[in-house]
Amino acid sequence: MTNRTARILGAAIIAASAGALAFTLPPMVRNLQRHNREANVALFKIESVQDPNFQFRGETVRIAERGEGASRSLVVAWRGAEIPIRLDGRVDERLPGLVRYEPAVRVMSIAVADRADDPDAGFEQRPWRLFIAARHTPPGENPETWGAVERKKWQYEVIELLPEGAPAPSPLHDLSPATLTTRYGGAPSTMPVSEFTAADTYARWFFNMAALPDFERTVQYAAAIEVTPPLHRPRNVFTDTGLTAMRWTWPAGGVAVLGLLTGTLLVASTFVRSPTPPPKAAEAPEPAR
């Protein structure tokens, strides 16, 4: 290919790509603006509670440890109810208060805000909610060896303490064993499982590791992540992001940009000249014999 042909081809690619990009950008911007207007993504502010005795909404919460060995548990006393939480994670007796049970059990206050709130005072406009999250290893497995790495077998327990007059909580997705049996013909440990129970004083969500990604952007997911080691957290699979909202304009724009780069490199290559080889040294005459 001659330099003239390469320049013509490169210029044609640049022109076509620039036209495609100009055609793609307006709908891309409109899609993103529509997504940003309509999306109502929840934001969470989380503060850990370290004192086993504290006040919440004018009521006293008391958390005490009971039992030994396999029957060891934390009991949360709240509004006349006692809520047991199984302790099968590592407990560091050297640490004070509730810190000794982390990262397997954590008590936290969570405020939930959304984009409709004032960006500077969104969390202050929302009431704080109190959650206890616990991550359980498989029964009978050492939480510091195999129990610590087999995350597919982990189970989560998220409890919300309900003050008097609080709105009735709702379950997450219907992933009960009965539903799974109908849907999959069985409910092995790799299938998502979720259970929900509620009373006047608290609500309890129980689910396994396989179900955790299904609850993204919920307050229960945010609480469960707090008791999940960073290296073992599931990969986010958000389906309502700005990238998804751009639809066909995103790959079309990417191809247009790639075309611009290709055309530019093709044109630029025609201005590169090969270095002129140095002249050969004159050969010395052969000596007379």
Side-chain angles (χ1 to χ4, degrees), residues 3 19 40 66 72 107 135 145 166 173 245:
N3 284 347
N40 190 19
R66 293 183 186 174
R72 198 176 190 184
V107 182
R135 174 172 49 87
T145 55
H173 303 318

Side-chain angles (χ1 to χ4, degrees), residues 24-64:
T24 303
L25 281 177
M28 181 186 293
V29 172
R30 288 195 298 269
N31 289 342
L32 282 174
Q33 288 176 338
R34 185 186 308 112
H35 172 266
N36 291 336
R37 270 195 319 269
E38 298 175 357
N40 190 19
V41 179
L43 304 174
F44 305 104
K45 184 175 182 180
I46 301 174
E47 294 185 357
S48 293
V49 178
Q50 300 179 359
D51 192 340
N53 301 307
F54 58 95
Q55 294 288 315
F56 174 63
R57 301 285 189 89
E59 300 276 353
T60 302
V61 182
R62 290 187 174 87
I63 303 176

Side-chain angles (χ1 to χ4, degrees), residues 12-166:
I13 294 175
I14 291 174
S17 300
L21 191 60
F23 176 77
T24 303
L25 281 177
M28 181 186 293
V29 172
R30 288 195 298 269
N31 289 342
L32 282 174
Q33 288 176 338
R34 185 186 308 112
H35 172 266
N36 291 336
R37 270 195 319 269
E38 298 175 357
N40 190 19
V41 179
L43 304 174
F44 305 104
K45 184 175 182 180
I46 301 174
E47 294 185 357
S48 293
V49 178
Q50 300 179 359
D51 192 340
N53 301 307
F54 58 95
Q55 294 288 315
F56 174 63
R57 301 285 189 89
E59 300 276 353
T60 302
V61 182
R62 290 187 174 87
I63 303 176
E65 185 178 325
R66 293 183 186 174
E68 295 180 357
S71 61
R72 198 176 190 184
S73 65
L74 281 181
V75 178
V76 182
W78 163 251
R79 292 182 55 207
E82 290 192 345
I83 310 161
I85 302 173
R86 190 174 81 248
L87 274 180
D88 47 11
R90 181 174 180 268
V91 178
D92 193 339
E93 304 289 354
R94 299 169 298 177
L95 298 176
L98 300 175
V99 182
R100 68 181 62 186
Y101 305 109
E102 298 179 3
V105 179
R106 184 165 294 179
V107 182
M108 64 200 86
S109 295
I110 303 181
V112 185
D114 56 39
R115 290 185 178 178
D117 292 324
D118 186 313
D120 297 324
F123 291 111
E124 285 71 14
Q125 296 173 354
R126 296 301 182 102
W128 288 89
R129 300 164 64 181
L130 189 67
F131 287 87
I132 302 102
R135 174 172 49 87
H136 301 297
T137 55
E141 293 194 8
N142 190 329
E144 298 186 27
T145 55
W146 286 110
V149 297
E150 290 189 305
R151 68 172 189 171
K152 291 183 178 180
K153 296 182 179 180
W154 289 348
Q155 297 173 333
Y156 291 90
E157 186 176 7
V158 177
I159 296 171
E160 181 179 6
L161 301 188
L162 303 176
E164 189 173 359

